[in-house]
Amino acid sequence: MAPPETPQPTTLRHAFGNVLSVFVLLLIGVFAFSIRLFSVIKYESVIHEFDPYFNYRVTQYLTKSGVYDFWNWFDDRTWYPLGRVIGGTVYPGLTLTAGTLWRILNSLNIPLSVETVCVFTAPIFSAFASWATYLLTKEVKGAGAGLTAAALLAMVPSYISRSVAGSYDNEAVAIFALILTFYLYIKTLNTGSLFYATLNAMAYFYMVCSWGGYTFIINLIPMHVLLCIVTGRYSPRLYIAYAPLVVLGTLLAALVPVVGFNAVMTSEHFASFLVFIIIHVVALVYYIKGILTPQMFKVAVTLVVSVGLIVCGAVLAVLIALVASSPTKGWSGRSLSLLDPTYASKYIPIIASVSEHQPPTWPSYFMDINVLAFLVPAGIIACFLPLSDASSFAVLYIVTSVYFSGVMVRLMLVLAPAACIMSGIALSEAFDVFTRSIKFQLLGSTENLQVNNAGESTNVAQNDVVKTEKNEDSQKERSSRKSKKKEKESTERVPLVSRIEQKLLVLPLETSLIAVFLLVLLGAFYVVHCVWAAAEAYSAPSIVLTSRSHDGLHVFDDFREAYSWLSHNTEVDDKVASWWDYGYQTTAMANRTVIVDNNTWNNTHIATVGTAMSSPEKAAWDIFNSLDVKYVLVVFGGLVGYPSDDINKFLWMVRIGGGVFPHIKEPDYLRDGQYRIDSQATPTMLNCLMYKLSYYRFVETDGKGFDRVRHTEIGKKYFKLTHFEEVFTTHHWMVRIYKLKSPRNRIRGKTKKSKSKASSTTSSKRSGTRKKNPWH
Amino acid sequence: MFGKLLTTLLISFHLFAILCASFSEENPTDRRVLVLLDDFAIKSSHSLFFNSLETRGFDLDFKLADDPKLALQRYGKYMYDAVILFSPTIDRFGGSIDAASLLEFVDSGHDLILAADASASELIREIAVECGVDFDEDPAALVIDHTSYAVSETEGDHTLIASDDFIQSEVILGSTKIEAPVLFKGIGHSINPANNLVLKVLSASPAAYSANPKSKLSTPPTLIGSAISLVSIVQARNNARILISGSLSMFSNRFFRSGVQKAGTTTKHEKCGNEQFLTELSKWVFHERGHLKAVNVKHHKVGEKDEPSMYRIKDDLDYSVEVYEWSGTSWEPYLADDLQVQFYMMSPYVLKTLSTDQKGLYYTSFKVPDVYGVFQFKVEYQRLGYTSLSLSKQIPVRPFRHNEYERFIPAAYPYYGASFSMVQFVVPFSKAFFS
């Protein structure tokens, strides 16, 4: 491709470029890993939040008992008394990954604890994810874009928020798997190699193992295939990229216990099968077209289309009937809330109650992807110049992920890689244009150097050449597809074409310099923001809280204090009831049986706990006692101003409880539609268990009972608990643990102590009507 | 100085010896009984009752109720297994005893006999109320019965009642039937029907009522008819037993020895039922009868010996428990045919009556239901007069392991056939196609 008189420098540049790329990638990996260590440096090497504790516990079990026991694990310590078949209800990818990592390290005589491995799994995989981004973007727009995108992804705050050290959650490995799957798909699409197609299916399998978000892949890829077919871009490469993925991928997905038959039964997977049929029909049509004469083909088309339509109609009718027969139309609640963003808040409070399932606000876009939000449109435009199979996929990816991120905050995570890829493309294209302009302006006079320049620019973005080739290829696709020789010819014509293009795309020197400077500035702002986000916003482990005030740093370690109290002071088989948020932590840290936990699989059970929390003491005691509960744990932030406490979550308990047990009505807890706990609060609110357990003895702290979260004085200050007794309250009152009192040993008679001379008539009436509370 | 130390040592040894002989799981009968009296005259006037206790091996410690050195516990340990309160008029106990400490004594599993009388003090009433017994609030009221009074020489106000309306329970009143009516003179009480811990042992006749016999009735009496209980027993949730009687005199030697003729009947009994009634009742109260224990709860898979930590759904299992009754001196096999075990998870999935070998062993076997979860073996046995048995043992039930399902199922043979024939024909087909 380069002019024959200068072959040596070009190869050298090639080699140098490759070495530089590898070196840069290595640095990106190190960067991606180390930017996520702020949490360890600022706090400690500890598992974060809620779900990671469960994953950690599962990993511990895996490393202790082995894969088969893990597969068959029936956990009797959660969802008492129902239990949970963990092996069949958990996405095992993350656990198996960390477990394997631990095993390998141990066999190499590196005795790390399971916890350490778990803590650092996410940073390691974010390095992998940036490399995968490099590969994917390289396939789409060349190595330069790839490197830029990888660097952007390494520090994109949205991804950092889910993958800081200690954030041991499915997303940590799933994003890597997602990008890898996309890369292998594009790679197969570009090469038409069955080898990559198989790898693609394996990557898809890993993704299915890791995260429920795999349905995004199995819908996005068919969408892209359909797009290619509709736009007349069908090719055997597309067939090879898609058909093996569906067949192998579905078979492999069905092997994951948690997916199982869902891989063929639920509507989430339906699109892939439909497109699978379509691509076969299209392939058949192309094949027949190849062997028949045009007239014969026309006849065949009319024949086949008429027959095909009838068959398709019949099949569709059957399918629609099948799908319509199920109440949710075969869709799971989470997927439905993706299609209809208002679905969850209308029908499933338990999904709507999770903050990460809420739609995001505009600032959160700026917070999570920062300047990428502005670069994305430029990237989309760059993808259309020229549009290839790969770049159309990138466009489709960004469009769908923008939609999904608008539905759920959590899916911002899926948007982040797409935004990085797009911004990477945009930045790299922009730099490409500007640096080329600068070079052209500086060296433009010498014809010889210009030739060199042309050669160089093709080398810098070596894959750009391939892309341009693809572009041309697609332009005269039909004629040239089968003849490899023609392709090669076109490859040889590329430098000439690009040279002409470059001449047209040259900007003035000053403009270019300023633009480059501004772009670098933009990048610098992005880096500053990302480092700030990693260090300040997303490094808190949320089980240890800190606050800075004028008299220094305060550390709130109340959660671990409470859990260790539970593990040291209660019986092994005691049951602890709390709102489901704290279930995973209680089982993992306190090793006590819980009633409900963050795996919200049984709505009725959660509603039972919600009902108990919203009931008066006696009714709550009955509910808890029927579940053999010994201790009740509530999280209370009123003393230190910790806003995500149980009182703030309480309306969800009422809603979820009321959804199953209609005697709990939300309006009873609201005064004129307002949720309040001050003296204006409703009596139902002031008498419910959650209020009482949260504010019991609270007035003793400051004499007024001033709640620092709600910024108000509490409504009912002095009251006694009759069926519960306080057994432990942590240092900052953030966790309060109560014990259920056992029923009174004796049942009191009806006569009041104080009353010595009661009129006989009232007492006789009383004996008939009044039923004495046996626990009173 | 040294001598003082020695005495302290001696005392503590003595105390130690006492503690060793105290109430225990293995030997539920009470041994050391504190008797609180209004005055020591009662000790001799009620000596028959006390003697019957002493001959049964009880160690009675008589104290005046206002003795300033009274104490129930020393160094956190109770010095007595039971208390007899024969001090109906006391307003304040001496020493460290008060109503609360007595109730705490009961709540820690000890027994109590309380005898009130006409004009019982507030203190006594309060203790009774705490146990679920409401004495008539009029302090001067007595139980009056114009139909079933005891015929006596001094034909008077019919407050000496001869009642034979006993509770029907051999456990409480012994196996020999009490032939003669029981004499009662004192105040009546009522119990809340919703209270399932209190039982009327001796009720008044339907014609009885509770009023002050010395004054005219201005308002209808509060307590009437068989709602009046004369003697009640309480078995608390921790199986502590309490006897509450509205009459102290029914324990007296005079009543024990006297004959009885119920008004309206011609049979004159040489001896009234008081002695037999109260002796048998005291046996029940002091756990000489009706005290059950369940030991050796065992369960295992059919054909195995060891108790598993977890069952699988559809496992067959054996369950056994041994139940004994305390006879006063030794544990005897308890015989019943109504002991049931539940296999329970929020509701009983299996409810089976246990078979017995007549030697105290109860056993059954059943299939674990096709539901996984954390189950409990529950035995809830509550029978009149017996201490309640409440056993629960938690056991998780897991689903099938992945390799416990059948490898090949008949219904799927067409599919096996299809896949294998497919495999067979792909090879020749490809050969033919590509050649």
Side-chain angles (χ1 to χ4, degrees):
Chain A
M1 52 178 80
E5 58 269 303
T6 56
Q8 203 58 22
T10 321
T11 338
L12 255 180
R13 279 211 176 91
H14 247 288
F16 180 70
N18 281 340
V19 170
L20 191 68
S21 298
V22 169
F23 189 62
V24 168
L25 278 178
L26 208 64
L27 280 181
I28 288 174
V30 171
F31 179 61
F33 181 80
S34 48
I35 198 174
R36 287 166 168 80
L37 299 187
F38 277 109
S39 60
V40 174
I41 293 161
K42 288 182 69 182
Y43 296 88
E44 57 187 297
S45 173
V46 69
I47 307 279
H48 290 196
E49 296 194 313
F50 306 106
D51 288 23
Y53 269 95
F54 170 74
N55 295 324
Y56 169 49
R57 180 164 165 258
V58 175
T59 314
Q60 274 182 318
Y61 187 87
L62 171 71
T63 51
K64 215 168 56 204
S65 315
V67 177
Y68 281 99
D69 277 347
F70 165 53
W71 184 1
N72 293 308
W73 186 17
F74 172 71
D75 186 9
D76 56 344
R77 303 199 75 79
T78 70
W79 291 96
Y80 181 84
L82 307 168
R84 176 182 172 195
V85 187
I86 294 215
T89 57
V90 79
Y91 285 100
L94 174 76
T95 320
L96 290 174
T97 308
T100 317
L101 220 57
W102 180 82
R103 194 141 291 182
I104 291 171
L105 287 172
N106 260 32
S107 64
L108 294 175
N109 284 336
I110 306 174
L112 288 177
S113 69
V114 178
E115 190 183 4
T116 315
V117 173
C118 292
V119 165
F120 291 104
T121 301
I124 291 171
F125 270 79
S126 57
F128 292 167
S130 20
W131 293 336
T133 310
Y134 163 74
L135 292 173
L136 173 57
T137 321
K138 190 181 153 207
E139 284 302 314
V140 177
K141 271 287 173 191
L147 285 175
T148 325
L152 292 176
L153 184 98
M155 54 185 160
V156 64
S158 170
Y159 186 29
I160 285 181
S161 74
R162 293 318 195 96
S163 63
V164 291
S167 180
Y168 179 56
D169 209 347
N170 288 335
E171 289 93 329
V173 298
I175 293 302
F176 160 68
L178 180 88
I179 302 172
L180 187 69
T181 314
F182 286 156
Y183 158 65
L184 287 167
Y185 169 69
I186 297 295
K187 185 81 183 170
T188 325
L189 195 56
N190 282 344
T191 58
S193 148
L194 206 52
F195 170 69
Y196 282 114
T198 318
L199 282 187
N200 189 20
M202 301 302 287
Y204 174 67
F205 175 54
Y206 185 58
M207 177 69 191
V208 178
C209 279
S210 306
W211 196 32
Y214 75 91
T215 45
F216 181 60
I217 297 182
I218 206 62
N219 283 300
L220 183 63
I221 290 182
M223 268 166 79
H224 179 244
V225 171
L226 203 62
L227 185 78
C228 285
I229 291 171
V230 169
T231 54
R233 288 167 160 276
Y234 171 80
S235 66
R237 287 178 285 108
L238 187 68
Y239 183 85
I240 288 173
Y242 185 66
L245 174 69
V246 172
V247 177
L248 283 179
T250 305
L251 279 177
L252 288 170
L255 292 182
V256 181
V258 62
V259 178
F261 279 106
N262 285 350
V264 285
M265 305 265 280
T266 59
S267 297
E268 279 97 342
H269 306 80
F270 184 66
S272 64
F273 301 125
L274 195 69
V275 174
F276 187 67
I277 295 167
I278 292 173
I279 201 173
H280 276 95
V281 172
V282 171
L284 190 70
V285 169
Y286 274 102
Y287 177 70
I288 290 168
K289 204 174 171 185
I291 55 171
L292 289 183
T293 58
Q295 276 107 1
M296 281 289 280
F297 182 68
K298 251 179 201 165
V299 175
V301 163
T302 42
L303 192 76
V304 167
V305 162
S306 48
V307 175
L309 274 181
I310 294 165
V311 173
C312 277
V315 169
L316 262 180
V318 170
L319 274 177
I320 288 170
L322 271 181
V323 168
S325 65
S326 91
T328 58
K329 311 280 178 273
W331 293 77
S332 70
R334 275 194 181 82
S335 309
L336 271 181
S337 67
L338 280 182
L339 298 179
D340 173 13
T342 58
Y343 177 84
S345 52
K346 266 190 280 185
Y347 302 108
I348 317 172
I350 205 146
I351 289 181
S353 76
V354 182
S355 62
E356 60 182 26
H357 292 163
Q358 306 286 350
T361 52
W362 285 114
S364 71
Y365 276 97
F366 190 73
M367 175 72 198
D368 275 359
I369 55 174
N370 201 244
V371 300
L372 305 187
F374 310 115
L375 291 171
V376 163
I380 295 176
I381 293 170
C383 277
F384 279 100
L385 301 168
L387 188 70
S388 64
D389 290 350
S391 65
S392 68
F393 178 78
V395 171
L396 199 64
Y397 178 23
I398 185 85
V399 168
T400 46
S401 62
V402 163
Y403 170 74
F404 287 138
S405 73
V407 177
M408 274 189 197
V409 177
R410 188 184 187 185
L411 293 176
M412 197 76 98
L413 195 58
V414 177
L415 170 67
C420 288
I421 291 165
M422 280 302 166
S423 311
I425 291 171
L427 276 180
S428 135
E429 292 284 310
F431 274 121
D432 205 24
V433 169
F434 295 138
T435 48
R436 200 168 53 225
S437 313
I438 293 169
K439 259 183 199 163
F440 186 81
Q441 297 286 349
L442 288 177
L443 316 163
S445 46
T446 326
E447 165 68 15
N448 191 20
L449 280 174
Q450 197 194 333
V451 174
N452 231 344
N453 179 25
E456 185 196 1
S457 73
T458 46
N459 290 334
V460 167
Q462 40 180 304
N463 225 75
D464 219 5
V465 180
V466 185
K467 284 289 106 49
T468 329
E469 163 212 326
K470 286 271 156 54
N471 171 38
E472 260 172 52
D473 174 30
S474 60
Q475 276 169 358
K476 25 182 174 169
E477 195 174 14
R478 255 147 237 173
S479 57
S480 70
R481 199 182 327 110
K482 281 179 183 170
S483 69
K484 296 268 174 186
K485 279 181 186 173
K486 262 196 176 175
E487 268 186 32
K488 271 185 186 160
E489 260 172 48
S490 73
T491 316
E492 269 148 29
R493 282 205 335 261
V494 163
L496 187 72
V497 174
S498 60
R499 207 184 310 166
I500 298 159
E501 265 178 16
Q502 276 161 24
K503 270 183 189 163
L504 295 173
L505 287 172
V506 161
L507 291 167
L509 179 65
E510 295 77 21
T511 326
S512 309
L513 278 175
I514 292 170
V516 167
F517 174 71
L518 287 178
L519 280 183
V520 170
L521 204 64
L522 194 69
F525 276 126
Y526 175 69
V527 172
V528 168
H529 172 80
C530 291
V531 173
W532 171 82
E536 298 294 330
Y538 292 136
S539 63
S542 96
I543 55 158
V544 187
L545 306 163
T546 56
S547 90
R548 216 176 283 276
S549 69
H550 56 87
D551 52 344
L553 187 75
H554 291 275
V555 177
F556 303 98
D557 203 358
D558 287 38
F559 287 105
R560 289 192 292 183
E561 187 186 348
Y563 293 131
S564 70
W565 184 89
L566 275 177
S567 71
H568 286 107
N569 294 285
T570 59
E571 297 289 320
V572 176
D573 278 337
D574 282 351
K575 284 87 192 168
V576 181
S578 64
W579 191 233
W580 57 263
D581 297 25
Y582 315 105
Y584 277 165
Q585 290 182 349
T586 311
T587 39
M589 286 204 257
N591 192 22
R592 290 296 171 270
T593 309
V594 295
I595 306 299
V596 292
D597 67 22
N598 310 46
N599 174 259
T600 51
W601 68 273
N602 188 323
N603 191 35
T604 314
H605 223 50
I606 290 181
T608 310
V609 174
T611 306
M613 292 294 191
S614 3
S615 302
E617 243 185 287
K618 168 75 175 71
W621 190 94
D622 286 339
I623 293 174
F624 281 142
N625 191 50
S626 72
L627 290 169
D628 299 329
V629 169
K630 270 271 185 59
Y631 296 92
V632 181
L633 179 151
V634 294
V635 172
F636 171 62
L639 187 71
V640 290
Y642 171 63
S644 50
D645 64 351
D646 278 347
I647 290 285
N648 273 2
K649 292 173 186 171
F650 180 61
L651 271 193
W652 288 111
M653 304 183 200
V654 173
R655 270 173 216 155
I656 294 170
V660 177
F661 303 100
H663 69 275
I664 301 288
K665 294 183 195 72
E666 193 180 338
D668 292 347
Y669 297 83
L670 303 173
R671 173 76 71 194
D672 304 326
Q674 267 187 311
Y675 178 58
R676 53 202 308 171
I677 44 99
D678 55 6
S679 47
Q680 296 293 304
T682 59
T684 323
M685 178 70 212
L686 294 180
N687 283 315
C688 73
L689 184 71
M690 182 47 77
Y691 181 90
K692 285 193 163 181
L693 297 192
S694 289
Y695 292 116
Y696 178 61
R697 294 200 307 117
F698 181 53
V699 71
E700 292 170 24
T701 54
D702 59 354
K704 287 190 309 205
F706 186 80
D707 186 320
R708 292 216 175 86
V709 175
R710 269 67 58 176
H711 300 294
T712 170
E713 268 184 44
I714 59 172
K716 195 167 159 189
K717 296 176 183 173
Y718 302 95
F719 54 86
K720 278 187 178 166
L721 296 174
T722 46
H723 301 92
F724 294 84
E725 59 181 326
E726 183 186 6
V727 286
F728 187 68
T729 296
T730 55
H731 185 240
H732 301 99
W733 285 50
M734 277 167 59
V735 185
R736 312 195 67 185
I737 301 171
Y738 293 82
K739 189 178 184 180
L740 268 75
K741 279 186 189 168
S742 43
R744 287 283 302 257
N745 192 33
R746 296 160 281 106
I747 302 176
R748 236 182 138 257
K750 64 184 189 298
T751 317
K752 281 253 157 64
K753 242 184 216 172
S754 55
K755 194 169 50 168
S756 50
K757 295 238 181 338
S759 72
S760 49
T761 44
T762 54
S763 76
S764 71
K765 247 181 214 161
R766 217 175 37 219
S767 69
T769 54
R770 186 156 152 231
K771 260 197 180 171
K772 190 69 200 164
N773 180 350
W775 287 274
H776 202 96
Chain B
M1 177 69 196
F2 188 75
K4 214 174 183 181
L5 195 79
L6 203 70
T7 24
T8 344
L9 262 175
L10 274 176
I11 289 171
S12 55
F13 270 123
H14 185 64
L15 197 77
F16 183 71
I18 290 176
L19 283 176
C20 285
S22 70
F23 178 91
S24 71
E25 282 293 311
E26 273 309 298
N27 187 3
T29 302
D30 300 333
R31 284 292 151 234
R32 295 157 306 151
V33 182
L34 175 67
V35 186
L36 293 181
L37 307 169
D38 269 342
D39 66 280
F40 277 119
I42 295 174
K43 187 178 171 183
S44 52
S45 66
H46 293 58
S47 60
L48 281 177
F49 177 67
F50 293 135
N51 283 342
S52 86
L53 288 180
E54 271 171 339
T55 51
R56 298 210 313 266
F58 292 98
D59 184 7
L60 300 186
D61 189 1
F62 295 95
K63 290 267 172 67
L64 277 180
D66 51 2
D67 185 340
K69 277 185 290 212
L70 276 185
L72 280 175
Q73 48 179 325
R74 189 183 287 166
Y75 310 126
K77 291 267 186 186
Y78 282 106
M79 298 188 292
Y80 305 100
D81 303 320
V83 168
I84 298 177
L85 278 182
F86 276 2
S87 52
T89 59
I90 191 76
D91 284 320
R92 263 195 76 196
F93 292 115
S96 62
I97 302 185
D98 55 11
S101 71
L102 260 178
L103 291 166
E104 207 185 300
F105 178 74
V106 170
D107 287 346
S108 55
H110 301 87
D111 306 321
L112 177 68
I113 292 180
L114 184 147
D117 217 333
S119 69
S121 69
E122 273 303 311
L123 180 68
I124 297 295
R125 284 164 186 275
E126 190 192 323
I127 295 170
V129 165
E130 283 294 333
C131 299
V133 167
D134 301 299
F135 281 116
D136 192 340
E137 282 162 12
D138 183 356
L142 289 175
V143 183
I144 305 170
D145 195 332
H146 297 299
T147 56
S148 54
Y149 56 90
V151 178
S152 65
E153 297 84 47
T154 51
E155 196 57 29
D157 45 15
H158 299 160
T159 54
L160 182 66
I161 294 164
S163 172
D164 50 7
D165 191 0
F166 304 114
I167 192 170
Q168 297 302 315
S169 166
E170 286 194 0
V171 192
I172 298 171
L173 292 181
S175 45
T176 32
K177 195 171 179 294
I178 302 171
E179 299 290 344
V182 170
L183 288 174
F184 180 93
K185 186 185 175 78
I187 57 174
H189 58 258
S190 65
I191 60 177
N192 186 350
N195 186 341
N196 54 1
L197 301 179
V198 187
L199 292 171
K200 279 191 255 188
V201 193
L202 186 65
S203 333
S205 77
Y209 64 97
S210 173
N212 186 352
K214 300 200 173 64
S215 66
K216 272 185 94 177
L217 273 176
S218 53
T219 51
T222 329
L223 287 175
I224 45 169
S226 42
I228 302 177
S229 171
L230 306 175
V231 178
S232 295
I233 53 171
V234 181
Q235 179 166 285
R237 289 205 167 87
N238 65 351
N239 292 330
R241 287 171 174 176
I242 303 162
L243 167 65
I244 294 174
S245 150
S247 161
L248 175 58
S249 46
M250 70 186 295
F251 293 89
S252 69
N253 296 355
R254 194 165 63 84
F255 277 39
F256 272 31
R257 286 193 186 119
S258 97
V260 65
Q261 181 187 358
K262 203 172 166 184
T265 56
T266 50
T267 42
K268 183 169 166 52
H269 297 275
E270 275 304 306
K271 198 161 172 262
C272 67
N274 280 36
E275 182 164 16
Q276 191 191 354
F277 175 71
L278 290 171
T279 309
E280 293 297 330
L281 211 50
S282 72
K283 280 184 188 169
W284 181 86
V285 169
F286 291 151
H287 288 271
E288 285 170 76
R289 207 164 41 218
H291 190 100
L292 300 179
K293 74 163 180 184
V295 288
N296 287 335
V297 178
K298 281 184 195 154
H299 58 86
H300 52 79
K301 273 194 221 171
V302 169
E304 289 180 16
K305 277 271 169 286
D306 296 328
E307 183 175 304
S309 61
M310 192 181 261
Y311 285 108
R312 198 199 63 195
I313 54 173
K314 296 178 174 174
D315 266 349
D316 291 299
L317 63 85
D318 287 332
Y319 176 86
S320 69
V321 59
E322 289 170 37
V323 182
Y324 296 100
E325 184 184 1
W326 179 249
S327 68
T329 48
S330 63
W331 288 103
E332 302 292 334
Y334 174 67
L335 305 180
D337 55 0
D338 54 357
L339 204 63
Q340 289 182 319
V341 65
Q342 306 172 26
F343 201 56
Y344 181 94
M345 181 177 79
M346 295 204 280
S347 60
Y349 278 77
V350 173
L351 178 61
K352 284 207 95 171
T353 306
L354 296 165
S355 342
T356 177
D357 67 347
Q358 308 291 322
K359 286 174 193 154
L361 180 74
Y362 288 82
Y363 57 91
T364 188
S365 58
F366 56 87
K367 195 187 253 316
V368 175
D370 192 4
V371 178
Y372 58 80
V374 182
F375 280 81
Q376 284 171 320
F377 290 109
K378 265 195 177 188
V379 175
E380 294 284 343
Y381 191 68
Q382 272 136 8
R383 287 295 175 274
L384 183 69
Y386 286 102
T387 53
S388 58
L389 282 184
S390 176
L391 310 171
S392 71
K393 195 163 189 178
Q394 181 177 317
I395 186 85
V397 173
R398 63 169 173 82
F400 285 115
R401 291 172 65 93
H402 71 274
N403 52 2
E404 280 173 338
Y405 294 98
E406 280 177 77
R407 178 67 68 179
F408 295 101
I409 44 177
Y413 271 102
Y415 298 97
Y416 305 143
S419 34
F420 284 115
S421 65
M422 178 89 165
V423 169
Q424 262 181 12
F425 284 100
V426 157
V427 179
F429 173 77
S430 339
K431 252 186 197 165
F433 187 78
F434 288 115
S435 57

